[in-house]
Amino acid sequence: MTALFADHTLRVVALGAGLLGAVSGALGSFAMLRRQSLLGDAISHAALPGIAVAFMLTRSKAPVVLMLGAALAGWLATLAVMTIVTRSRIKYDGALGIVLSVFFGLGLVLLTLLQKRPDASQAGLDRYLFGQAAALLVDDVRAMAIIGAGALAVLAVLWKEFKLISVDADFGAAIGLPVRLLDTALTSLLVIAIVIGLQTVGVVLMSAMVVAPAAAARQWTNRLGPMVALAAGFGVVAGVGGAVLSSIVARLPTGPTIVLALSGLVLVSLLIAPARGLAWRALRRGQHRRTVEADAVLLDLYALALQHEEDLEHGHDEAVLRAMRGGQINVRRSLEKLAQAGLARRTGHGRWALSAAGRARALEQIDHAGEHA
Amino acid sequence: MSPQIEVQLIAVVVAVAAALPGTFLVLRRLALVSDAISHAILPGIVVAFFLVESLSSPVLLIAAAMTGLLTVVLIELLGQTRLLKEDASIALVFPALFSVGVLLISRYAGGVHLDVDAVLLGELAFAPFDRLVVAGHDLGAKALWSMTAILLLNVVLISVLYKELKLATLDREQAAVLGFAPATVHYLLMGCVSITAVGAFQAVGSILVVALMIAPPAAAYLLSDRLSVVLILGGVLGAASGVGGYWLARGIDGSIAGSMAVVAGLVFLGALLFAPQRGLAAQLHRRARQRWSFAERMLLVHLLHHERTPSAAEETAGHTVHRHLRWSERFTAEVIRRAEAGELLRREAGLLQLTERGRQIAQRALLELDERDGLGELGGRDRRRRAGRTIPGGAVEE
Amino acid sequence: MSRGLGDRARSWAIEVEDLTVAYTDKPVLWDVDVSIPRGTRMAIVGPNGAGKSTLVKSILGLIRPVAGTVRILSRPLDEMIGQVAYVPQRSQIDWDFPTSVLDMVVTGTYRRVGWLRRPGAREKEQASDALEKVGIAALGRRPIGQLSGGQQQRMLLARALVQQADIYLLDEPLQGVDAPTEHALIGVLGMLRDEGKTVVVVHHDLQTVEEYFDRVLLLNVRNIADGPVREVFHDENLRRTYGGRVGLVSRPQRRGSPGIDAVKG
């Protein structure tokens, strides 16, 4: 592994992708929480014509120039979406779809025009479609680092204001915060998060870089600070992992590799994150269900015992209990659970009775239910 | 048929085929599902391509339709966990599936005629070179035949299910109560979107399918309230975008698919700006006109409120009333002048007094408020439902 | 339509004059005048769409009116933004947001904390005290997504308390909360009145207006009536407020009297 990172190109690539993961993970958390996941998609697609125009105007492929073009186009796209939503009956989803696809179409037209220029110097703009981590240069990484650090600094400085307008914007306005300005700032950070990743991941998949780390991180914590940190961490892991993998394995494009790594993280998080995870939820539901079932059998046994007042220890057939519930519940499992808890015991083959503790428990439950009625 | 005409024909057929299901996506606020589906069908296309080694086999259509449905189901499943917001679910599912497709192509399709650019971007100019030849007879471009088939499928499906689609768009619950199985209709529509997307990807590429599915119907929706008109107009505007895009591409020697999206965007922009009633220009014009009448009514209502109250002298004096309304003096003077000219008020001893007509107008203005239900385009779903004669988004029932 | 003149103006907490608010030229509030004396508890009552929340938001400066002015403690609204404590409707908040109850309450101190600084131990202590007052001191560390409706409402009131304002605006705080919460919230409002604070509440339950409030504003786009409850809260005004749509409106003589349900909400 150390030998691997001794390689200069690989070090640059890993550094760049890691940086990107950290920045987009952190900034993307706010976007996801503010329901701007799909706006991210529109911004990243819309960046394509910006890159092309920036190149046409300056003839430069300097990362900062292209990022600036991408950012301006991304901003314009956001503005267009907002205008359509507020000034027409077209809803948010339609506005995003139109802006995304039309801007992207414009980008394609511009790229084909560039391709036909005699100097053909557009070679390299193509990689903005799917990204190409292996082509990252030290200069690119430096630009990403400076811009990303700036964006993170803004996030840190305005942290509590951003948090408040994300959870309750009206209250923010009521205590005198300039909500629209903050909103614009936060959206600009999203634009920046997207723009710095285009070269590595590409316009088509960049939105996943913004949404996926946040979606994974959200499952593990209920606090914003840890969530943002975790999202950044997930971004780094997937970014470095994906970029390195695609650099050393032939014909493994960077963008899709990183995105699949992130998707895996999301899936795992959805399944096993404590408290929220689906696996835990199923487990809890199963436990709850078993408890409810055991209680039901307990009460059934008690009801049967009442019919034999003279002999409380009289055993009752499992089949009877099963019939009482119409096969809806697992009677055997419930009886064994009761037996384990010392509430019931086996009196003979397939016959069961409540213990003294079980009878007390049943009475308790009946009283409890009475209170609630 | 010359390739030139053939390309335009294909463009028209693709655009119309896309606009038909697209109309329902726009009206049902599912526009971005088209984006998701058009990306996510990639792995389906790739796997089917590996199986049959052809891009024009019907197997591709079926595989893509299945993948499209899978996408919709995955998004819905993720949403049902309540662990993610719906938009995040969409934004997670399709990049993942698209990535799988890209990886499959890069890893295993080296050398064969299937590359990501082609799927994503399409190249309409090449479509006429792939001919359908039956028993030695050249019947025309394959893409033309396949897209015509898909167009017919869409037309048939929408005609047959027109009532159901409209009702499911109107009100899912009501549709279910009436026994129209909105879920089935929903998945049929999604299947329709998937098949159209896969059929069109060769011609215009998957992302630009989105442009043709959303932009023309959205433009049509700004121009009309009737569902049937929106459907047809969406198709017409889509066809126009197709032909216009072709000529734009020829003019500047650029990508045809990209140009079609650009023209579709321009068509939408045109509708957004200049639609007779809903356009921005019409809105501005109306607002300028309403500004004075609204201000006039405001002044009249203000006077009505303060008639014969202790503060009347303060509130209705011609030279102080602007302060109470928080208007500029000049604006107030102009409103008063207009109201005076209309004999809605008169000055008496420096106080503004309502005329009988002015009082009536003020009272009517207030009354209208009590019947706000009947007014305006502000309304949400509820009001339309109550009115019982329009469908969501305002398309009026025939 | 009471109005303070001259030196009496000092005693008004909120003065709304000729307020008209319109969304795309459709008036939501039309020429509303109302003045609220300091130290009172006032209910804003009216049917759906009457502009109750709009009035509250206008007083907070969240909505730009088409015409009219708002004065807070005899000063123009622009100078007083942030000096009115606010309890919004619960639906306005993203309850899935990853934050704890205590953190949410601390946001009420942000104005005092100011830009660039982080809330410290003192702010957290104030927030804990406020949670104590509304009876959910034990829930401080809980994520806001795990609160019941009543607990959510208590938390929002706690957040308003840490704003340490003289005026409190509450938008439907009692909508859909359980009886113990209603009791607790009313207790806190009583405490605020005892401290001389002004409390204005958008209220939906006509049966409890007399019990909980000393003044009432009957609002339906216009100010139908406002003043002391015993003077203006009567059948005639209620009928004018709720319109001809409701045939049977009678002021409750005792709690739970029939007929009144018809005009709820």
Side-chain angles (χ1 to χ4, degrees):
Chain A
M1 206 60 188
T2 34
L4 201 65
F5 282 96
D7 179 72
H8 175 72
T9 315
L10 200 54
R11 224 168 34 213
V12 172
V13 167
L15 195 63
L19 252 169
L20 163 66
V23 175
S24 59
L27 299 179
S29 297
F30 279 89
M32 190 204 73
L33 291 172
R34 286 171 11 113
R35 293 169 206 266
Q36 291 185 329
S37 299
L38 292 166
L39 181 63
D41 196 36
I43 291 173
S44 66
H45 281 77
L48 191 62
I51 292 169
V53 168
F55 175 71
M56 281 172 154
L57 291 180
T58 63
R59 299 261 118 208
S60 153
K61 267 187 280 182
V64 179
V65 172
L66 299 186
M67 280 185 205
L68 201 66
L72 285 177
W75 242 113
L76 211 61
T78 310
L79 210 64
V81 170
M82 297 307 161
T83 308
I84 294 173
V85 171
T86 53
R87 298 282 171 198
S88 84
R89 67 207 294 207
I90 305 299
K91 302 294 180 295
Y92 193 53
D93 62 311
L96 285 173
I98 292 167
V99 168
L100 175 155
S101 56
V102 172
F103 270 66
F104 189 77
L106 181 63
L108 276 188
V109 171
L110 295 177
L111 279 191
T112 50
L113 291 187
L114 281 172
Q115 242 159 16
K116 285 171 179 136
R117 293 207 172 182
D119 52 356
S121 59
Q122 65 84 38
L125 290 192
D126 274 1
R127 68 168 195 243
Y128 279 92
L129 276 179
F130 294 110
Q132 201 178 349
L136 279 179
L137 302 175
V138 176
D139 271 357
D140 301 327
V141 176
R142 193 175 293 137
M144 283 164 68
I146 293 170
I147 298 173
L152 289 182
V154 172
L155 186 68
V157 167
L158 294 175
W159 176 266
K160 72 176 190 304
E161 284 79 13
F162 283 159
K163 179 175 166 179
L164 180 51
I165 66 157
S166 300
V167 64
D168 187 354
D170 266 6
F171 187 75
I175 66 167
L177 291 180
V179 170
R180 280 175 74 170
L181 207 65
L182 289 167
D183 191 74
T184 309
L186 207 39
T187 306
S188 306
L189 291 187
L190 172 63
V191 172
I192 290 173
I194 287 168
V195 164
I196 63 169
L198 293 177
Q199 199 184 352
T200 315
V201 182
V203 298
V204 182
L205 293 172
M206 189 53 213
S207 67
M209 281 303 286
V210 173
V211 180
R218 175 69 186 93
Q219 312 311 323
W220 297 87
T221 170
N222 279 313
R223 317 258 337 219
L224 185 62
M227 176 186 157
V228 169
L230 203 56
F234 284 151
V236 171
V237 170
V240 173
V244 169
L245 211 62
S246 85
S247 294
I248 55 180
V249 179
R251 301 196 310 274
L252 203 60
T254 319
T257 310
I258 297 180
V259 168
L260 281 180
L262 280 173
S263 305
L265 280 173
V266 172
L267 200 62
V268 169
S269 303
L270 287 175
L271 288 176
I272 66 156
R276 278 170 78 103
L278 294 175
W280 297 109
R281 202 192 277 178
L283 204 67
R284 270 199 306 276
R285 197 172 296 154
Q287 267 168 1
H288 179 72
R289 187 186 160 148
R290 280 193 286 282
T291 309
V292 169
E293 286 187 7
D295 283 347
V297 172
L298 178 85
L299 290 177
D300 288 350
L301 263 176
Y302 187 71
L304 290 173
L306 288 181
Q307 294 168 3
H308 293 264
E309 259 177 273
E310 69 286 356
D311 178 15
L312 290 170
E313 304 290 317
H314 183 83
H316 299 278
D317 207 334
E318 210 177 299
V320 175
L321 289 164
R322 210 169 287 131
M324 287 172 84
R325 290 287 158 179
Q328 295 283 325
I329 64 178
N330 191 333
V331 170
R332 164 62 63 84
R333 188 177 65 198
S334 303
L335 284 168
E336 274 160 9
K337 191 175 156 86
L338 290 173
Q340 262 173 21
L343 299 174
R345 63 193 167 72
R346 203 188 283 264
T347 57
H349 180 71
R351 296 177 76 82
W352 296 75
L354 287 179
S355 65
R359 284 195 298 274
R361 174 72 184 272
L363 265 176
E364 215 174 88
Q365 291 217 346
I366 290 166
D367 284 351
H368 193 62
E371 273 169 32
H372 277 256
Chain B
M1 215 182 327
S2 75
Q4 208 180 4
I5 304 240
E6 224 164 32
V7 167
Q8 291 181 61
L9 257 181
I10 296 173
V12 167
V13 173
V14 168
V16 176
L20 292 178
T23 301
F24 291 99
L25 293 182
V26 171
L27 290 181
R28 300 179 64 176
R29 303 179 188 184
L30 294 170
L32 283 172
V33 171
S34 71
D35 186 36
I37 288 181
S38 70
H39 281 80
I41 53 175
L42 184 63
I45 294 173
V46 177
V47 171
F49 178 76
F50 288 156
L51 291 177
V52 297
E53 307 231 318
S54 154
L55 273 178
S56 47
S57 156
V59 175
L60 252 69
L61 285 184
I62 295 162
M66 302 301 283
T67 327
L69 289 181
L70 175 75
T71 313
V72 176
V73 170
L74 275 179
I75 291 170
E76 280 169 11
L77 278 180
L78 270 185
Q80 277 167 15
T81 65
R82 292 164 176 275
L83 296 177
L84 295 167
K85 287 166 184 145
E86 199 205 349
D87 64 327
S89 309
I90 298 179
L92 286 169
V93 168
F94 77 82
L97 287 172
F98 188 75
S99 298
V100 170
V102 176
L103 281 190
L104 285 177
I105 293 177
S106 324
R107 294 292 294 157
Y108 306 111
V112 293
H113 176 67
L114 177 70
D115 63 83
V116 181
D117 283 14
V119 174
L120 193 68
L121 316 178
E123 192 37 270
L124 197 54
F126 299 146
F129 299 123
D130 193 7
R131 314 297 298 177
L132 183 67
V133 180
V134 177
H137 296 283
D138 182 354
L139 296 177
K142 262 189 195 166
L144 187 56
W145 284 100
S146 61
M147 278 319 295
T148 305
I150 290 170
L151 171 62
L152 285 177
L153 181 77
N154 287 351
V155 169
V156 167
L157 194 89
I158 287 172
S159 323
V160 170
L161 292 179
Y162 185 72
K163 187 162 83 267
E164 285 78 4
L165 274 169
K166 190 156 102 178
L167 194 57
T169 307
L170 166 70
D171 183 340
R172 246 181 117 88
E173 279 159 45
Q174 198 189 345
V177 170
L178 296 177
F180 280 123
T184 314
V185 174
H186 176 67
Y187 287 113
L188 275 174
L189 179 66
M190 293 301 141
C192 206
V193 170
S194 307
I195 289 178
T196 311
V198 69
F201 88 88
Q202 275 179 285
V204 293
S206 60
I207 291 177
L208 300 175
V209 172
V210 178
L212 292 179
M213 275 194 185
I214 305 306
Y221 182 44
L222 294 178
L223 294 167
S224 173
D225 275 345
R226 292 164 69 104
L227 177 59
S228 55
V229 176
V230 174
L231 267 171
I232 293 167
L233 196 57
V236 170
L237 293 177
S241 308
V243 175
Y246 171 78
W247 287 100
L248 174 67
R250 264 187 63 128
I252 60 173
D253 194 19
S255 147
I256 298 179
S259 303
M260 282 167 70
V262 171
V263 174
L266 291 176
V267 167
F268 175 77
L269 185 65
L272 184 67
L273 293 177
F274 304 117
Q277 276 150 40
R278 299 208 163 71
L280 294 184
Q283 282 179 34
L284 280 179
H285 179 69
R286 197 166 47 231
R287 197 153 299 159
R289 218 180 38 201
Q290 279 175 354
R291 185 167 168 242
W292 291 114
S293 72
F294 181 61
E296 207 171 80
R297 277 190 299 160
M298 261 178 77
L299 178 64
L300 297 179
V301 168
H302 179 76
L303 296 179
L304 181 72
H305 270 180
H306 294 283
E307 258 187 345
R308 291 186 285 281
T309 62
S311 56
E314 161 68 16
E315 295 275 356
T316 65
H319 62 282
T320 56
V321 68
H322 68 273
R323 263 183 251 147
H324 296 281
L325 294 163
R326 231 184 53 176
W327 290 344
S328 75
E329 275 182 71
R330 263 181 65 192
F331 182 74
T332 312
E334 175 62 17
V335 175
I336 292 174
R337 194 191 64 73
R338 282 169 182 253
E340 264 180 319
E343 289 180 14
L344 302 177
L345 56 79
R346 60 174 175 272
R347 284 174 210 256
E348 275 172 26
L351 297 188
L352 301 177
Q353 301 278 353
L354 289 172
T355 63
E356 196 45 45
R357 205 161 141 236
R359 190 169 299 116
Q360 274 173 11
I361 289 181
Q363 277 161 349
R364 202 164 55 227
L366 290 175
L367 262 177
E368 271 174 17
L369 294 176
D370 294 337
E371 293 152 12
R372 264 165 304 158
D373 287 358
L375 280 178
E377 60 204 328
L378 253 181
R381 204 185 164 85
D382 287 346
R383 181 180 309 153
R384 288 202 199 88
R385 194 179 297 173
R386 230 181 306 143
R389 59 191 174 79
T390 54
I391 69 167
V396 176
E397 205 155 351
E398 289 109 289
Chain C
M1 315 218 179
S2 45
R3 158 146 303 120
L5 295 165
D7 56 346
R8 275 185 58 213
R10 283 186 173 280
S11 58
W12 298 124
I14 299 168
E15 296 156 274
V16 175
E17 272 183 45
D18 306 323
L19 186 77
T20 296
V21 178
Y23 299 129
T24 59
D25 295 346
K26 299 289 183 306
V28 185
L29 289 175
W30 201 318
D31 207 39
V32 171
D33 287 288
V34 61
S35 297
I36 304 171
R38 295 184 74 162
T40 50
R41 280 191 298 181
M42 181 159 108
I44 300 176
V45 170
N48 285 334
K52 301 183 296 276
S53 290
T54 305
L55 178 59
V56 166
K57 289 187 175 184
S58 304
I59 294 173
L60 288 160
L62 301 183
I63 292 176
R64 285 262 140 227
V66 185
T69 51
V70 174
R71 291 169 72 79
I72 305 289
L73 299 171
S74 306
R75 308 183 62 168
L77 176 62
D78 290 347
E79 294 173 20
M80 302 296 283
I81 296 285
Q83 309 222 16
V84 176
Y86 175 39
V87 175
Q89 288 191 12
R90 272 185 285 151
S91 58
Q92 178 183 311
I93 284 143
D94 175 10
W95 292 103
D96 195 37
F97 197 87
T99 191
S100 71
V101 170
L102 190 73
D103 278 1
M104 193 74 169
V105 175
V106 167
T107 60
T109 68
Y110 278 10
R111 199 187 138 71
R112 280 199 301 286
V113 174
W115 297 93
L116 301 180
R117 291 180 46 229
R118 294 269 152 104
R122 199 173 54 153
E123 282 75 22
K124 293 211 171 103
E125 204 174 300
Q126 289 166 348
S128 296
D129 288 351
L131 283 174
E132 181 94 48
K133 280 186 192 149
V134 298
I136 51 169
L139 302 183
R141 296 175 63 84
R142 192 172 283 192
I144 58 169
Q146 293 176 12
L147 297 181
S148 71
Q151 290 165 342
Q152 290 176 349
Q153 202 65 60
R154 290 176 191 229
M155 180 192 79
L156 293 178
L157 181 57
R159 183 176 68 172
L161 290 178
V162 301
Q163 286 187 264
Q164 300 177 346
D166 287 327
I167 303 171
Y168 287 77
L169 286 187
L170 293 80
D171 199 349
E172 301 257 20
L174 301 179
Q175 175 81 56
V177 301
D178 51 289
T181 297
E182 178 160 336
H183 194 73
L185 295 180
I186 290 302
V188 174
L189 296 190
M191 206 174 68
L192 289 171
R193 188 207 34 203
D194 295 344
E195 293 171 13
K197 314 277 192 192
T198 310
V199 178
V200 179
V201 179
V202 175
H203 195 57
H204 64 281
D205 182 4
L206 296 179
Q207 296 187 49
T208 50
V209 169
E210 288 171 303
E211 189 183 338
Y212 294 161
F213 302 97
D214 36 54
R215 290 180 78 87
V216 64
L217 163 65
L218 294 156
L219 186 75
N220 189 353
V221 186
R222 290 157 287 156
N223 176 347
I224 306 297
D226 75 281
V229 172
R230 66 183 64 210
E231 285 173 25
V232 300
F233 194 65
H234 52 67
D235 293 359
E236 167 62 19
N237 279 340
L238 279 170
R239 199 173 292 118
R240 286 172 59 210
T241 308
Y242 285 87
R245 283 171 251 174
V246 184
L248 188 68
V249 182
S250 67
R251 181 157 137 263
Q253 296 308 311
R254 57 189 167 78
R255 290 198 71 156
S257 70
I260 207 72
D261 287 338
V263 294
K264 261 203 221 171

